[in-house]
């Protein structure tokens, strides 16, 4: 795929019309990614459905807390880089006042799309005024990390692992929402990014990237109990409290750091396009999985 000649969006075959399952129980909105056949790979369709779901949960005064999870074996294999529903060249109504991306030449196409769909959406979701919990089992890879990181709390099962392999695979310094060096101490963030290896939930918890690690069969009930407690607490108090910590992160330069690294990320996409004729260095979902398997 070259970003110079966008294929027609009619090539896309969605396997579902509803990639996010939404339900409310006991004041808690459960947002479940529902592309289990593709390990919940995040395409544009899912991104916008997720944005709709978060908006719905925010608008509903009966919802006091939000859980984000994934149906099936894995939380998320990351951004969609190879399913029949990959929709890089489909135009959705922008939510964040960016121009259309599909008609833009060369590097401007991906830059415009990722400003909205990755960096912009993640920031929007991180700042929603209700507490959020990521419920993570199995794989949480690359784009999957962004979805977990925007949540206020992360609860993982003991079979969960976290990985950002985009430097080894594509020569790109991490996924678009560069929270790595905020979620992990700098030297561990370097190891995580440079080697791109899996980090177990237990190890992630040692660095504070994960709040709790529980047995796989206790995951849902653990998250449900935490979310129900949050949902019963004072709405404004919960909002102010999460804002307080988010604000401290901003004072530590999180937003400015992410803006800077986002541009390095796009320099690397452009370099891949120039050198390899493909912004992600010809990597597909299949080839990434094969490399991962080799790496153990
Ligand atoms: Zn990117």
């Amino acid at each position: 795929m070259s970003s110079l000649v966008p294929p027609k969006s009619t090539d896309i075959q969605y396997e579902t019309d509803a990639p996010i399952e939404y339900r409310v129980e006991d004041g808690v909105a459960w947002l479940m990614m529902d592309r289990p056949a593709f390990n919940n790979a995040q395409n544009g369709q899912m991104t916008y459905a997720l944005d709709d779901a978060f908006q719905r949960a925010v608008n509903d005064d009966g919802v006091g807390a939000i859980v984000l999870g994934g149906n099936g074996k894995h939380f998320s294999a990351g951004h969609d880089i190879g399913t029949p529903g990959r929709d890089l060249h489909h135009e959705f109504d922008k939510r964040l006042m960016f121009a259309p991306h599909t008609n833009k030449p060369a590097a401007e196409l991906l830059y415009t799309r990722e400003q909205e769909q990755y960096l912009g959406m993640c920031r929007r979701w991180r700042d929603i005024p209700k507490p959020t919990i990521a419920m993570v089992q199995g794989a949480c890879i690359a784009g999957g990390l962004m979805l977990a990181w925007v949540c206020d709390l992360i609860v993982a099962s003991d079979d969960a692992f976290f990985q950002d392999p985009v430097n080894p695979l594509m020569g790109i310094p991490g996924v678009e929402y560069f929270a790595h060096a905020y979620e992990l101490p700098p030297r561990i963030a370097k190891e995580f990014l440079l080697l791109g290896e899996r980090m177990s939930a237990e190890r992630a918890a040692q660095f504070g990237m994960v709040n709790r690690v529980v047995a796989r069969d206790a995951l849902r009930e653990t998250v449900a109990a935490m979310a129900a407690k949050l949902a019963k607490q004072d709405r404004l108090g919960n909002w102010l409290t999460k804002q307080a910590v988010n604000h401290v992160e901003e004072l530590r330069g999180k937003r400015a750091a992410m803006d800077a690294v986002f541009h390095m990320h796009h320099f690397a996409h452009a370099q891949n396009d120039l050198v390899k004729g493909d912004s992600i260095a010809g990597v597909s979902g299949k080839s990434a999985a094969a490399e991962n398997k080799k790496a153990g």
Side-chain angles (χ1 to χ4, degrees), residues 3-134:
S3 58
L4 292 173
V5 187
K8 291 268 182 296
S9 61
T10 47
D11 297 341
I12 301 160
Q13 292 174 324
Y14 290 130
E15 81 286 0
T16 176
D17 292 331
I20 299 292
E21 192 184 274
Y22 183 93
R23 66 178 184 281
V24 177
E25 282 167 24
D26 299 330
V28 177
W30 291 77
L31 281 51
M32 300 298 291
M33 293 179 275
D34 197 25
R35 299 188 73 199
F38 301 111
N39 299 322
N40 298 318
Q42 186 192 344
N43 56 7
Q45 183 202 34
M46 178 185 279
T47 302
Y48 286 87
L50 190 54
D51 193 63
D52 288 340
F54 276 128
Q55 187 72 68
R56 189 171 164 187
V58 169
N59 289 349
D60 184 349
D61 280 343
V63 167
I66 302 166
V67 174
L68 174 61
N71 287 335
K73 202 172 162 201
H74 301 288
F75 177 75
S76 174
H79 295 145
D80 189 339
I81 54 171
T83 82
R86 188 187 190 207
D87 53 9
L88 183 62
H89 299 284
H90 183 73
E91 200 68 67
F92 293 86
D93 286 338
K94 298 283 189 285
R95 305 286 165 90
L96 302 171
M97 204 65 83
F98 289 104
H101 72 276
T102 52
N103 60 352
K104 298 298 183 289
E108 190 180 357
L109 184 149
L110 215 52
Y111 180 74
T112 306
R113 178 177 185 267
E114 296 193 352
Q115 280 276 12
E116 155 111 351
Q117 290 193 25
Y118 296 154
L119 183 59
M121 287 292 199
C122 282
R123 283 175 166 165
R124 175 172 160 91
W125 299 334
R126 177 238 189 194
D127 289 332
I128 67 176
K130 295 182 182 182
T132 52
I133 304 176

Side-chain angles (χ1 to χ4, degrees), residues 40 138 235 249:
N40 298 318
R235 179 177 61 228
E249 286 194 296

Side-chain angles (χ1 to χ4, degrees), residues 188-241:
I188 305 302
K190 285 180 181 171
E191 177 190 338
F192 190 64
L193 285 157
L194 285 169
L195 297 176
E197 293 171 351
R198 294 178 177 193
M199 180 182 282
S200 68
E202 191 189 1
R203 187 161 189 241
Q206 286 170 17
F207 303 120
M209 196 180 99
V210 164
N211 294 92
R212 293 185 196 177
V213 182
V214 298
R216 178 74 184 83
D217 59 9
L219 182 61
R220 200 186 179 288
E221 63 182 294
T222 303
V223 170
M226 291 166 83
K229 179 177 185 330
L230 288 167
K232 285 189 188 81
Q233 291 175 183
D234 182 71
R235 179 177 61 228
L236 180 59
N238 283 341
W239 181 18
L240 295 175
T241 300

Side-chain angles (χ1 to χ4, degrees), residues 79 110-111 113-114 118 146 166 170 172 174-177 262 265-266 269 279-280:
H79 295 145
L110 215 52
Y111 180 74
R113 178 177 185 267
E114 296 193 352
Y118 296 154
M146 299 168 42
V166 307
M170 307 172 187
I172 295 174
V175 284
E176 292 81 3
Y177 182 81
F262 183 79
H265 178 101
H266 276 274
H269 271 314
S279 58
I280 56 170

